[in-house]
Amino acid sequence: MKLSQRLQAIADIIIQQQKGHILADIGSDHAYLPVYLVLNNIIDKAYACDIASGPLNAAIETIDTYHVERKVKPLQGSGLNPIIDKNVDMISICGMGGKLTVEILDEFPEYLNHHRFILQVNVGLEILREYLYKHQMKIIAEDIVKDASHIYEIIVCEKTDELLTYNEQDFYFGPILRQNKNDLFKEKWLRQLKIYQNILTSLTPSQPRYQEVTHMIAMIEEEIY
């Protein structure tokens, strides 16, 4: 089974940061991730969860195609609701926005205490990281991957008793990613820098957004230069 580059990077970080052998994949869509992990004997069991019947039917088709019906169970429902009575070690939430991911986590905050989370959001990473910080969730691993023309970031986190000292730069750039600053990290933020610079040309200093954009430009330039 071959995954997209994005899903392969998520699978790889789960393999590296594995904690337990039962995964709940929230917003599983076609269930490619849990089926891949089961097929490769990384996990023993998975729940492929989705709110809509269309993606859930696609998940069932994938599960049937690879004959993993006994190990990957499709569940319909919103957020973490399908697994509230299930025994789960790890929870992956991938492919959504940062705000929606936070809403999913915040519906059952008690789940933060007992599970390792693998999170990949398409936008609003700073919203997600700030939420994790405020809820004493330590980011233990991060990765960045390019799939087609899109660049994605992946976060692995869990509850900690440690004193966390994340700041605004950590929320935007990632506390681990900004330590490494690989080529893909620089490519992403150079791209974002150009976007903000273009936005700035259409603004005047009297507009509220002007200060926000100039602040982002200054942060990015300090980070990558």
Side-chain angles (χ1 to χ4, degrees):
M1 182 181 192
K2 186 171 176 60
L3 298 176
S4 67
Q5 289 175 295
R6 178 184 71 94
L7 285 178
Q8 187 63 61
I10 295 168
D12 290 343
I13 206 167
I14 288 174
I15 293 168
Q16 295 162 13
Q17 303 294 332
Q18 184 172 353
K19 188 175 185 180
H21 293 87
I22 305 175
L23 172 75
D25 188 35
I26 309 301
S28 194
D29 198 3
H30 285 71
Y32 292 142
L33 179 64
V35 169
Y36 174 89
L37 293 170
V38 163
L39 286 174
N40 287 276
N41 298 311
I42 307 303
I43 58 176
D44 297 331
K45 186 176 182 180
Y47 297 101
C49 308
D50 215 291
I51 189 172
S53 57
L56 196 73
N57 288 334
I60 292 169
E61 184 176 339
T62 303
I63 292 165
D64 291 345
T65 298
Y66 289 95
H67 309 294
V68 290
E69 298 91 344
R70 295 178 62 185
K71 293 189 174 184
V72 183
K73 305 296 183 182
L75 299 174
Q76 187 168 5
S78 65
L80 301 176
N81 282 282
I83 60 165
I84 56 174
D85 61 344
K86 308 298 182 187
N87 179 29
V88 170
D89 302 312
M90 300 177 288
I91 299 173
S92 56
I93 309 174
C94 303
M96 303 182 194
K99 186 178 179 182
L100 178 57
T101 301
V102 164
E103 289 173 358
I104 289 171
L105 295 174
D106 210 37
E107 186 176 5
F108 296 99
E110 63 273 17
Y111 268 66
L112 299 177
N113 297 325
H114 308 294
H115 300 87
R116 179 164 289 186
F117 286 82
I118 300 90
L119 308 172
Q120 180 269 306
V121 303
N122 297 338
V123 294
L125 276 151
E126 73 282 1
I127 296 170
L128 175 59
R129 289 194 182 102
E130 185 173 6
Y131 174 87
L132 296 176
Y133 166 68
K134 288 179 178 178
H135 288 77
Q136 201 61 27
M137 297 289 286
K138 182 181 180 180
I139 296 172
I140 58 176
E142 290 183 302
D143 196 12
I144 187 167
V145 60
K146 190 173 186 178
D147 192 336
S149 61
H150 300 286
I151 297 175
Y152 302 97
E153 296 179 18
I154 307 161
I155 297 168
V156 181
C157 59
E158 66 183 5
K159 184 73 84 174
T160 183
D161 293 327
E162 296 177 28
L163 176 64
L164 300 177
T165 57
Y166 301 147
N167 56 28
E168 185 182 19
Q169 287 79 6
D170 291 321
F171 298 153
Y172 277 94
F173 304 110
I176 297 174
L177 290 176
R178 66 191 295 246
Q179 290 177 15
N180 303 323
K181 289 189 175 69
N182 64 18
D183 291 342
L184 204 50
F185 176 92
K186 293 175 183 175
E187 179 182 339
K188 171 185 174 172
W189 287 107
L190 282 169
R191 186 188 297 179
Q192 289 298 121
L193 178 61
K194 290 179 181 177
I195 291 171
Y196 282 118
Q197 287 171 336
N198 288 335
I199 293 172
L200 194 64
T201 62
S202 65
L203 300 173
T204 63
S206 61
Q207 292 177 283
R209 185 149 165 70
Y210 183 90
Q211 297 301 324
E212 177 189 337
V213 172
T214 54
H215 176 63
M216 284 304 305
I217 289 172
M219 273 211 310
I220 294 170
E221 287 180 337
E222 182 179 358
E223 194 67 32
I224 60 176
Y225 295 134

